[in-house]
Amino acid sequence: MRAEQMRLLLGNMGSSLLPTLAVASLLLYTLATPANAPGLRLWCAAVIGSKLFGCWDARRILRGRIGPWRAYRLQRWMLVLTAIDGAAWGALAWTGFDPASTANSILVVAVLSGIVGNAMSMLSPVLSVFAIFCVCELGALALKAWSLDDLPFRTLSLAVVVYFFSLLSQGRNSARAARAAIQLRFDNIGLIRQLRIESDRTRHALHAAEQANLAKSRFLAAASHDLRQPIHAQGLFLEVLARSPLNDNQRTVLASARAASEASADMLHTLLDFSRIEAGVIEPQIEAFALQPLLAKLESELAPQANAKGLVYRTRDSGLALRSDRGLLELIVRNLVTNAVRYTDQGGILVACRRRGAHAVLEVWDSGIGIAPEQQEEVFREFHQLGNPERDRQKGLGLGLSIARGLAQLLGHELTMASRPGRGSVFRLAVPLAAMPALSSSPSSASASALPARGALPQRVLVIDDDAIVRASMQQLLAGWGCDCRVADGIEPALMLARAWQPDMIISDYRLREQRTGAEAIAMLRAQAGAATPALLITGDTAPARLREARASGVPLLHKPTSPEQLYHAMKQACTGRGQCQQSNTTSADALHCG
């Protein structure tokens, strides 16, 4: 504080140099007489010399660092210089004051009063320096007036003393204001420094959070990939087993094993849906379609789940036609209904649609546990679940609502909710109405319970995968379908095999050893054969970057775990030139799972 006061005081010194030169020279010219000319010249030289030295010394000091300890030494030094300057000005009362001339007396008193008043603005940051200047200057004037032994002049002397105390009081107020301003500046500097520290901490915390999120994504992608490999192979082995002779007890056990495998696959597909939204590889195909077939399909598939919990599932028939992506809209509503069934223990589920202006509002009502106001935004975060601290897998992964919101944003549809704890919830999705009624309903989906009749499959199939269990399961499954299947664990073995045995189809895992990809393997095999051999990519990756890379390859893509039905249909389509699942902007709910 003292150092800043001294810096402020020294910075003010230069502003008084020119006024001092002008006033001193003018007084010398005005007050000089033959009798007092030598004394006035000496006085003028002393005043100007004192001011010049003071300004030079102030600039010299300001060029250096004024630390706390130096500030106290500088204060003592300034007391000396200011006392000399004040005494030099006060000497005007002894050298230029003429009691016989009223004009002379008024001029000298006015100048000295003005000088000390002006000094308050320059010197008051350090009150003691201002006080010593006043004492030396006004003291000389008061002594001169008192020494004249005349009542008016002695009254002037007393008035000068009163003026001194008045100036001192004002100087104290000015010094306080200066200290307050300096303190405020220190506080601001401290706040800025604290803000910088907090900003750095926030930046570091944000960076750490981003790194943690990336690490989480990498971990989930790696874990998902590693889990998909054995589950994919398990599904294929179970299909091979189902085609072998089994007794009733064995078929019951097989059905349970298939159910467990499908449950695992559903969870992994949910993670895949979330990853595909993050990767931005879903391109909506907007069309006009009737809503009622979609509602009927969802009721036929999801009502049994509600009935199993003793819930009433109702759907209000609708004759509206919507303009959206049929498959993505189905996935949104499916997630909303599944979530309602999962968190409702009594009562029922209602799926309805009503017209509101140019939009239809799809509503999913439930009489479930409800959601507290502070949780109503949180439930849309990924992996966030209510009432599932034990992470019961039967309650899902906490991605359904996150996927629903992501797809709604992708389609430009507004998804909102209202809920009361203990009373239930309603989710509303606003979808544009179609300009014209849809002419056809959604195409019927093929049954997944059984494969279609065999035929039209390639005879020779080359499978490339670095996982031995996957190679074995694929070889057994394809052999059961009547294919001559050969396997390779990398690109070079596949190229060597294809030189003597030209495949009719290539099925390759996307991520191979040594940072190589299935897209690279297919391109090299096609170049070697000189023909565009039908091909499929199968991947267990869910990392957004990997999904974008695979999509850019232009080869139809399946995701592990792939069901035998999906594999069979993809092979048929690839052979007939219709297998463009990956690059044809597929957006249906099934396509999200199959690639």
Side-chain angles (χ1 to χ4, degrees), residues 120-136:
M120 181 171 62
S121 63
M122 295 188 303
L123 306 178
S124 61
V126 182
L127 184 60
S128 59
V129 174
F130 173 63
I132 198 68
F133 181 85
C134 292
V135 168
C136 293

Side-chain angles (χ1 to χ4, degrees), residues 2-305:
R2 180 67 64 184
E4 289 303 311
Q5 286 177 297
M6 291 305 303
R7 194 184 303 277
L8 182 59
L9 184 148
L10 291 168
N12 292 335
M13 296 296 290
S15 63
S16 62
L17 178 59
L18 291 180
T20 296
L21 295 176
V23 171
S25 300
L26 185 60
L27 287 174
L28 176 62
Y29 174 78
T30 303
L31 300 178
T33 63
N36 66 10
L40 274 176
R41 292 192 187 96
L42 181 62
W43 168 83
C44 185
V47 168
I48 293 176
S50 173
K51 183 55 65 178
L52 287 173
F53 179 79
C55 292
W56 171 82
D57 189 56
R59 293 187 63 182
R60 177 187 64 83
I61 295 172
L62 288 174
R63 283 196 295 267
R65 179 178 178 276
I66 303 178
W69 293 108
R70 189 186 181 196
Y72 286 99
R73 295 196 299 271
L74 287 176
Q75 181 176 347
R76 292 193 291 270
W77 173 242
M78 289 302 298
L79 286 173
V80 174
L81 291 184
T82 306
I84 294 172
D85 191 41
W89 277 106
L92 178 63
W94 295 87
T95 57
F97 191 79
D98 184 4
S101 172
T102 303
N104 175 286
S105 302
I106 292 174
L107 179 60
V108 170
V109 172
V111 167
L112 293 178
S113 299
I115 291 297
V116 77
N118 180 66
M120 181 171 62
S121 63
M122 295 188 303
L123 306 178
S124 61
V126 182
L127 184 60
S128 59
V129 174
F130 173 63
I132 198 68
F133 181 85
C134 292
V135 168
C136 293
E137 191 215 65
L138 295 179
L141 177 60
L143 288 175
K144 178 63 177 178
W146 187 267
S147 67
L148 294 176
D149 198 19
D150 188 7
L151 181 59
F153 286 108
R154 290 202 169 185
T155 302
L156 175 63
S157 177
L158 295 176
V160 169
V161 173
V162 173
Y163 181 54
F164 165 74
F165 285 108
S166 176
L167 287 174
L168 201 61
S169 176
Q170 294 179 35
R172 183 171 63 252
N173 293 336
S174 180
R176 288 175 178 171
R179 285 182 62 88
I182 294 171
Q183 184 62 52
L184 180 61
R185 187 159 66 91
F186 280 144
D187 292 343
N188 289 338
I189 292 173
L191 286 174
I192 292 173
R193 184 181 295 112
Q194 188 64 29
L195 284 174
R196 286 175 179 168
I197 293 173
E198 294 299 326
S199 177
D200 289 341
R201 288 177 180 172
T202 302
R203 187 162 52 250
H204 291 321
L206 179 60
H207 178 71
E210 291 173 346
Q211 293 300 313
N213 189 55
L214 288 174
K216 178 202 74 174
S217 299
R218 287 193 294 268
F219 169 77
L220 286 175
S224 176
H225 176 271
D226 294 342
L227 286 172
R228 286 172 186 273
Q229 296 286 86
I231 293 176
H232 172 69
Q234 179 188 51
L236 302 184
F237 279 132
L238 289 173
E239 173 63 20
V240 173
L241 182 60
R243 300 179 62 81
S244 61
L246 299 174
N247 59 38
D248 292 340
N249 184 52
Q250 289 170 333
R251 291 195 177 277
T252 301
V253 174
L254 176 62
S256 298
R258 273 184 156 176
S261 178
E262 290 172 0
S264 301
D266 286 341
M267 290 187 179
L268 292 174
H269 287 323
T270 300
L271 284 173
L272 175 63
D273 292 343
F274 179 72
S275 297
R276 286 173 64 83
I277 293 172
E278 279 195 327
V281 298
I282 304 173
E283 297 181 10
Q285 285 187 325
I286 305 301
E287 59 177 335
F289 59 92
L291 174 62
Q292 183 55 36
L294 186 150
L295 297 180
K297 177 184 179 183
L298 290 175
E299 181 174 6
S300 65
E301 294 179 9
L302 300 178
Q305 298 180 20

Side-chain angles (χ1 to χ4, degrees), residues 458 460-464 474 502-510 517-527 531-538 550 553-558 566-567 569-583 594:
R460 290 174 295 184
V461 181
L462 173 59
V463 174
I464 308 172
M474 287 285 287
Q502 181 60 40
D504 299 322
M505 170 170 276
I506 306 164
I507 301 177
S508 177
D509 188 20
Y510 181 73
T517 67
E520 182 182 353
I522 291 170
M524 295 177 70
L525 286 166
R526 284 175 171 176
T533 307
L536 293 175
L537 282 173
I538 303 182
S553 70
V555 179
L557 179 68
L558 300 176
Q566 290 173 345
L567 179 62
H569 288 299
M571 291 175 65
K572 283 188 64 176
Q573 289 172 351
C575 288
T576 57
R578 295 182 290 111
Q580 304 302 315
C581 183
Q582 177 61 21
Q583 67 269 31
C594 76

